[in-house]
């Protein structure tokens, strides 16, 4: 996720110390295209009054984005069958049992072109990704704007770099935390946690090269 943006953004010192409602955004970049144009960047945005920024919001945006990928690639003569998802290791948003359970649901309960999803968390300190480059370009424009009074003005800036999806208009937030079972036995059975930890310690791709290693586990 990009750094939270404050509406209103004003050139008045007092607003810095006032309670502001934040604008959130989560961005997906299709890296396989080697092109960070608007066609390959999808930005999901909502403000603090609409929802929070936990697994419900991240998972809902992720499902919507996966459906876009399906529509985009299913008509190709040789659609991809393996999906590599890269994200940082934020436990509140990305690296938690709710997102993992959601991906399992997607693979087992949806008619999908993918037969495997790899969720990759880069080593801490080496997690600068394509989405961060998009954020940098957006922030460069934002720094030149002294006054922004409402979220739609942020949306207009986001649209210069991404396809913008707004809450309720383009996607809905689902209560994923309540929809998925809360018992650890459910996740132990389908995750095979011991096996997952060994994969996470040193992930090996099909050519035998180490993709990443990490000390923490789900």
């Amino acid at each position: 996720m990009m750094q939270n943006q404050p509406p209103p953004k004003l050139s008045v010192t007092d607003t810095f110390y006032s309670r502001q409602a934040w604008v959130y955004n989560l961005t997906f970049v299709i890296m396989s295209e080697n092109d960070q144009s608007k066609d390959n960047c999808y930005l999901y945005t909502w403000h603090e009054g609409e929802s929070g920024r936990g697994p419900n919001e991240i998972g809902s945006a992720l499902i919507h984005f996966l459906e876009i990928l399906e529509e985009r690639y299913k008509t190709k003569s040789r659609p991809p069958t393996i999906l590599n998802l890269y994200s940082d290791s934020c436990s509140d948003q990305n690296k938690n049992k709710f997102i993992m359970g959601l991906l399992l649901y997607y693979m087992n309960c949806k008619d999908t072109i993918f037969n495997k999803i790899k969720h990759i968390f880069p080593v801490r300190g080496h997690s600068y990704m394509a989405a961060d480059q998009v954020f940098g370009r957006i922030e460069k424009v934002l720094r030149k704007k002294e006054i922004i009074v409402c979220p739609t003005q942020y949306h207009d800036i986001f649209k210069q770099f991404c396809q913008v999806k707004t809450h309720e208009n383009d996607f809905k937030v689902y209560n994923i935390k309540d929809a998925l079972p809360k018992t650890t036995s459910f996740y132990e059975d389908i995750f095979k946690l011991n096996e997952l930890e060994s994969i996470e310690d040193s992930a090996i791709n099909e050519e035998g090269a180490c993709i990443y290693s990490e000390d923490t586990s789900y």
Side-chain angles (χ1 to χ4, degrees):
M1 293 187 71
M2 185 179 172
Q3 181 180 1
N4 302 336
Q5 302 300 323
K9 176 187 176 184
L10 302 173
S11 56
V12 179
T13 306
D14 289 347
T15 60
F16 181 82
Y17 299 99
S18 301
R19 179 70 174 91
Q20 295 168 296
W22 298 105
V23 170
Y24 304 133
N25 83 65
L26 171 69
T27 299
F28 297 94
V29 179
I30 303 175
M31 297 168 58
S32 60
E33 303 292 343
N34 295 317
D35 176 16
Q36 292 183 12
S37 66
K38 289 173 62 175
D39 291 340
N40 298 317
C41 299
Y42 294 82
L43 186 149
Y44 290 78
T45 183
W46 62 98
H47 62 73
E48 188 177 15
E50 293 175 319
S51 199
R53 51 175 182 167
N56 287 341
E57 293 76 22
I58 303 304
S60 299
L62 176 59
I63 284 292
H64 189 272
F65 175 68
L66 291 177
E67 291 171 349
I68 290 175
L69 281 185
E70 294 279 352
E71 291 297 319
R72 178 168 176 161
Y73 288 110
K74 71 180 182 181
T75 56
K76 291 185 177 293
S77 57
R78 295 183 61 189
T81 57
I82 298 177
L83 175 63
N84 294 311
L85 288 175
Y86 292 82
S87 61
D88 62 41
S89 298
C90 178
S91 59
D92 288 340
Q93 297 162 2
N94 306 319
K95 197 174 185 181
N96 55 68
K97 65 181 181 181
F98 303 110
I99 298 300
M100 298 302 106
L102 184 68
L103 291 174
L104 284 168
Y105 157 77
Y106 190 85
M107 288 298 297
N108 291 288
C109 302
K110 302 278 283 186
D111 184 15
T112 174
I113 61 173
F114 303 112
N115 56 38
K116 182 186 293 186
I117 293 180
K118 297 179 181 179
H119 199 173
I120 301 167
F121 300 94
V123 176
R124 188 177 295 107
H126 299 273
S127 59
Y128 188 82
M129 292 175 282
D132 296 302
Q133 295 176 321
V134 177
F135 295 157
R137 291 193 285 273
I138 293 173
E139 288 167 355
K140 187 176 181 179
V141 175
L142 290 174
R143 282 194 292 269
K144 297 177 181 178
K145 297 283 187 181
E146 288 191 3
I147 298 176
I148 299 177
V149 297
C150 63
T152 54
Q153 290 180 278
Y154 280 109
H155 300 170
D156 291 338
I157 296 172
F158 297 158
K159 288 175 182 176
Q160 298 178 32
F161 305 96
C162 305
Q163 297 185 50
V164 175
K165 307 296 181 184
T166 58
H167 180 261
E168 291 298 341
N169 294 324
D170 300 298
F171 74 102
K172 295 182 181 297
V173 172
Y174 300 101
N175 194 340
I176 295 167
K177 294 173 73 172
D178 284 349
L180 292 172
K182 293 183 173 61
T183 57
T184 56
S185 60
F186 169 79
Y187 296 96
E188 289 172 355
D189 290 341
I190 59 177
F191 269 145
K192 299 180 180 177
L193 289 178
N194 292 332
E195 180 180 333
L196 182 64
E197 288 173 355
S198 66
I199 292 172
E200 197 176 50
D201 288 340
S202 182
I204 305 297
N205 68 8
E206 290 160 358
E207 288 74 37
C210 182
I211 300 172
Y212 72 103
S213 60
E214 191 154 16
D215 296 331
T216 56
S217 60
Y218 297 108

